[in-house]
Amino acid sequence: MITVLAGGTGSAKLVRGLAAHVSPDDLTVIVNIGDNILLHGLYICPDVDTILYALAGVLDKPRGWGFKDDTFNFLEQGSKYGLEDWFKLGDKDLAIHIARTEMMKAGLTLGEVTQQIAKHLKVYQKVLPASDEHIETRILTPEGDMHLQEFWVKRKGTPNVLGVSYRGSENPQPASGVVKAIHDADKVVICPANPVTSIGPILHIPSIREVLTKVRSRVVAVSPIVNNRPISGPAGKFLRGIGAEVSPVGVAQIYSGFAGRLLVDETDRAAIDSIEEIGVEGIAANILMRDESAERQLAQFIISI
Ligand code: GDP
Ligand code: FO1
């Protein structure tokens, strides 16, 4: 039984790799919800959709998000009526947001909705949003705080980052099944994901932090930072913004209470001593997933640890 904590683009690769080795009944993916956003009256869950699309084999792989071979007629036409068009919602992608919003309006929780959508996409792994609540990652900049998507997509990641916060209820609760999936797993994998804006919102939920601390020796994380740089996305800017080091050591510091092991790239072997000083076992491996074969190899390695 493997339970995975996931963000979006980087995580989708490892989740796909794990799904190639593990029976669907034995794989649970707990997904970030901090980047969820309401746009055009639709509730959009980018990371949940990225994971669902990856497992269904319909993810646009080069982009790492959205439905493959999608078109953007809705967005093009909508912009003529003054609709915001900075967040690229494809025509096929649109269907999942409309279906989700309808089901939520009918009273289903985000977890229940995700289960329904997974069934329609013939995804048999358990995909759980970290919470049914809206917990929103806010990026603090000199211009004030803004939604993560506004910072990264609308503003192209240009404002300075002064800090990051998670906006929501005072004591956010995990979605049904999340704590049990972590508690009962033989192995918990923290995917390569943005530690601040993808794994951060999951760790923000007190009972998730608590159970991870308990099973820490069974938790293995994969560094999203190789050679002191993220492979993609704004992780470097966010890590600096919260005062963390942009290195596998910085990642180990953030995860040290929750993960017993951290996989770093072969080229970062020199960082292992510093990682172990923090009390995390450092393991060097090929953690760059350039193609599906690399995804499966890394997944196999993680299973074998
Ligand atoms: P993002 O930062 O907003 O793109 O959110 P994600 O949680 O989807 O983050 C993707 C993270 O995965 C980035 O920090 C990347 O550096 C990392 N990443 C992407 N591809 C790979 C890969 O092949 N291997 C590893 N180790 N990390 C990856
Ligand atoms: N990322 C972009 O850089 N530009 C976009 O226009 C964009 C649209 C989009 C639509 C649906 C979806 O599920 C994801 C989308 N993403 C887009 C990705 C998303 O902003 C981030 O990669 C994740 O939120 C980070 O975890």
Side-chain angles (χ1 to χ4, degrees):
M1 294 272 279
I2 296 187
T3 293
V4 169
L5 306 191
T9 53
S11 307
K13 301 188 207 174
L14 185 55
V15 166
R16 214 161 31 206
L18 287 165
H21 294 292
V22 178
S23 117
D25 289 342
D26 292 339
L27 186 58
T28 300
V29 189
I30 296 167
V31 192
N32 173 41
I33 39 92
D35 57 348
N36 293 357
I37 187 165
L38 190 69
L39 276 175
H40 316 296
L42 302 173
Y43 197 62
I44 298 160
C45 303
D47 283 354
V48 171
D49 293 350
T50 299
I51 296 300
L52 286 172
Y53 287 167
L55 287 170
V58 297
L59 182 70
D60 185 311
K61 276 200 210 155
R63 267 198 322 229
W65 51 267
F67 206 103
K68 69 179 178 188
D69 304 323
D70 214 345
T71 50
F72 292 87
N73 295 311
F74 155 76
L75 216 63
E76 220 176 283
Q77 187 61 24
S79 71
K80 296 182 183 161
Y81 305 125
L83 292 185
E84 297 211 54
D85 63 354
W86 53 271
F87 200 68
K88 303 289 178 226
L89 294 177
D91 300 324
K92 288 182 181 166
D93 190 29
L94 210 48
I96 204 169
H97 312 309
I98 295 174
R100 172 185 297 118
T101 308
E102 287 278 299
M103 286 189 254
M104 288 176 79
K105 273 190 190 155
L108 268 66
T109 63
L110 187 59
E112 289 164 346
V113 170
T114 307
Q115 212 180 319
Q116 292 292 322
I117 292 176
K119 207 167 76 188
H120 291 301
L121 283 170
K122 298 187 168 44
V123 168
Y124 301 113
Q125 293 82 3
K126 211 181 271 172
V127 177
L128 305 175
S131 176
D132 289 330
E133 295 177 34
H134 185 78
I135 304 170
E136 186 170 309
T137 303
R138 303 290 299 179
I139 311 301
L140 181 61
T141 78
E143 303 159 38
D145 68 319
M146 56 183 83
H147 192 288
L148 166 67
Q149 304 295 358
E150 202 179 339
F151 169 84
W152 180 240
V153 181
K154 190 174 185 183
R155 302 293 309 277
K156 302 190 183 338
T158 49
N160 282 333
V161 176
L162 305 175
V164 173
S165 67
Y166 310 107
R167 183 192 279 173
S169 71
E170 222 160 80
N171 183 22
Q173 298 300 309
S176 166
V178 166
V179 169
K180 185 170 165 38
I182 295 173
H183 183 269
D184 293 353
D186 298 307
K187 190 165 283 163
V188 178
V189 181
I190 302 181
C191 279
N194 194 314
V196 185
T197 54
S198 291
I199 303 302
I202 304 178
L203 298 177
H204 177 65
I205 300 168
S207 48
I208 298 186
R209 278 205 306 276
E210 198 182 308
V211 67
L212 282 170
T213 310
K214 269 195 212 147
V215 302
R216 182 183 179 276
S217 62
R218 297 202 294 271
V219 183
V220 52
V222 181
S223 175
I225 305 293
V226 173
N227 298 321
N228 298 346
R229 272 196 307 270
I231 312 289
S232 59
K237 206 161 179 177
F238 293 150
L239 284 167
R240 269 189 296 274
I242 64 159
E245 211 180 275
V246 187
S247 71
V249 180
V251 176
Q253 264 154 352
I254 294 174
Y255 292 159
S256 63
F258 315 107
R261 297 180 173 125
L262 178 69
L263 296 196
V264 302
D265 196 63
E266 298 278 9
T267 56
D268 281 324
R269 222 172 242 286
I272 287 181
D273 280 351
S274 310
I275 290 170
E276 301 207 327
E277 271 169 33
I278 304 165
V280 177
E281 184 187 345
I283 301 172
N286 178 15
I287 62 166
L288 266 180
M289 295 170 282
R290 285 206 180 85
D291 52 31
E292 290 213 1
S293 144
E295 293 169 2
R296 285 196 290 268
Q297 270 174 37
L298 179 57
Q300 180 60 61
F301 181 71
I302 290 172
I303 292 165
S304 75
I305 294 172

